[in-house]
Amino acid sequence: MVKLGSCMALLLMCVQALGQETKTKQDSIPVKSKRLEINLDLASRYLWRGQSWGGDYVVAQPTINYKLTRKWTAGFWATTNFKQDFFYDDGIPGKGYQEIDFNLSYQINSFLTVQVWDYYWPSVERVEGIDNGFFNYGNDGVKTVDATLLFDFTDYKLPLNLTLSTLVAGNDYRYDDNGEHPKQNYTTYFEALYSFEELYRKITLEATAGAVLNNQAEYYTAGDYDKPSLVNLSLKAIREFQLNKRISMPLSLNYIHNATTKNTEVFGKNFLVAGITFNYE
């Protein structure tokens, strides 16, 4: 099993080396000197698209984005709640959850970016029937690949972001009525986010509505399996503090409601998440 701490240490060593680079050229395209972005999020719990993972425990979530060229960016993201008990056992949430993700982004134009994410969520201890192998994309593995279109219209004075995300590989299988013959489901999620900039004392509000369109593979555990379901309704307040020229510190408070009609008994429907972020760029 891959240890999250070891991966983070290795990546931070790489970050130190990359951070020493100055202005360069790649693919004959000038690249700005600010090529590296590092974030550390501390949150009261982990919510992903209306799904609560790891229980009600504080999480640490590092992010590293490195600009390869003007249009290409490589990224890393992880989360852990530092618990060592397996999260899900006989339908009852436990404690431990960890995830390690890599992504590659290509900016097509000023409002459209294509991303490919590789999700990896190994169990914190050995569990029968689960293979934590990093390269196992089968139906007993803990890997999926997410192809995403990101639409950002802020350059057009419209504070709107749209996300269209489809799982294109990995453990996202649906089965027949006998629980056999797994087939790739291509589970798809759509989200709209609208920002209300600095409404009061430099506080920004973000309103989000997100729905899973085809959940027959039950990838979104807290969601309807037989119809589209609105899994992520949220309102987030953000207040950012600029500590110096390179470091900022946003504080946030996020209310999330999962509006699905089924399968939320274990995970819950309403959440309040507080967070603090340290950004370096």
Side-chain angles (χ1 to χ4, degrees):
M1 181 177 64
V2 176
K3 294 296 185 180
L4 179 60
S6 301
C7 290
M8 290 173 59
L10 178 60
L11 280 161
L12 289 174
M13 292 172 61
C14 296
V15 165
Q16 290 179 334
L18 293 172
Q20 296 173 0
E21 297 186 17
T22 57
K23 294 182 180 180
T24 62
K25 291 185 178 181
Q26 292 190 14
D27 301 334
S28 301
I29 300 176
V31 180
K32 294 182 180 180
S33 57
K34 291 184 180 181
R35 302 173 63 183
L36 181 65
E37 177 187 3
I38 304 174
N39 298 336
L40 176 61
D41 293 307
L42 303 176
S44 56
R45 66 188 305 164
Y46 175 39
L47 262 289
W48 180 76
R49 298 177 180 176
Q51 318 292 294
S52 174
W53 295 110
D56 190 11
Y57 297 98
V58 172
V59 293
Q61 299 173 332
T63 302
I64 300 172
N65 291 317
Y66 184 68
K67 204 170 184 65
L68 302 171
T69 70
R70 189 172 59 187
K71 292 182 176 292
W72 287 96
T73 301
F76 163 85
W77 181 90
T79 185
T80 180
N81 61 7
F82 304 103
K83 303 296 181 180
Q84 294 302 314
D85 298 330
F86 182 53
F87 171 67
Y88 203 73
D89 185 14
D90 295 329
I92 301 174
K95 295 181 179 180
Y97 184 82
Q98 60 185 357
E99 187 174 330
I100 303 169
D101 303 337
F102 296 91
N103 71 84
L104 187 64
S105 302
Y106 180 75
Q107 184 175 352
I108 295 176
N109 53 39
S110 60
F111 67 86
L112 178 58
T113 298
V114 177
Q115 287 187 334
V116 177
W117 282 84
D118 185 271
Y119 299 146
Y120 178 50
W121 62 97
S123 58
V124 296
E125 60 185 17
R126 289 190 176 276
V127 178
E128 185 178 355
I130 295 178
D131 180 1
N132 283 328
F134 186 80
F135 296 102
N136 180 9
Y137 292 87
N139 59 1
D140 63 344
V142 288
K143 294 291 292 286
T144 43
V145 177
D146 196 354
T148 303
L149 296 177
L150 300 175
F151 299 87
D152 183 351
F153 299 106
T154 53
D155 284 348
Y156 300 88
K157 297 183 179 180
L158 179 63
L160 175 67
N161 291 266
L162 303 177
T163 301
L164 182 62
S165 165
T166 298
L167 299 175
V168 295
N171 193 351
D172 175 47
Y173 295 94
R174 65 179 185 272
Y175 299 83
D176 61 19
D177 293 338
N178 297 320
E180 300 176 346
H181 304 103
K183 293 183 179 180
Q184 200 76 44
N185 190 63
Y186 301 103
T187 303
T188 297
Y189 172 84
F190 176 76
E191 178 181 289
L193 183 153
Y194 192 90
S195 297
F196 302 89
E197 297 291 336
E198 298 187 2
L199 292 179
Y200 176 74
R201 294 184 181 272
K202 298 183 178 181
I203 294 176
T204 296
L205 289 181
E206 293 181 351
T208 300
V212 55
L213 306 182
N214 56 326
N215 197 28
Q216 286 77 16
E218 304 179 10
Y219 189 88
Y220 290 76
T221 307
D224 298 319
Y225 300 155
D226 56 354
K227 61 182 179 180
S229 55
L230 202 58
V231 294
N232 183 20
L233 293 174
S234 72
L235 187 63
K236 185 177 184 179
I238 304 169
R239 173 66 163 92
E240 182 172 309
F241 298 89
Q242 196 71 36
L243 302 184
N244 59 38
K245 187 180 295 185
R246 303 294 295 273
I247 300 177
S248 61
M249 187 184 68
L251 303 178
S252 64
L253 186 64
N254 194 8
Y255 169 74
I256 303 102
H257 172 66
N258 189 321
T260 58
T261 59
K262 299 177 182 177
N263 309 310
T264 56
E265 294 84 359
V266 172
F267 293 90
K269 294 177 69 73
N270 298 285
F271 309 93
L272 191 63
V273 181
I276 181 171
T277 302
F278 299 93
N279 293 330
Y280 172 84
E281 56 182 347

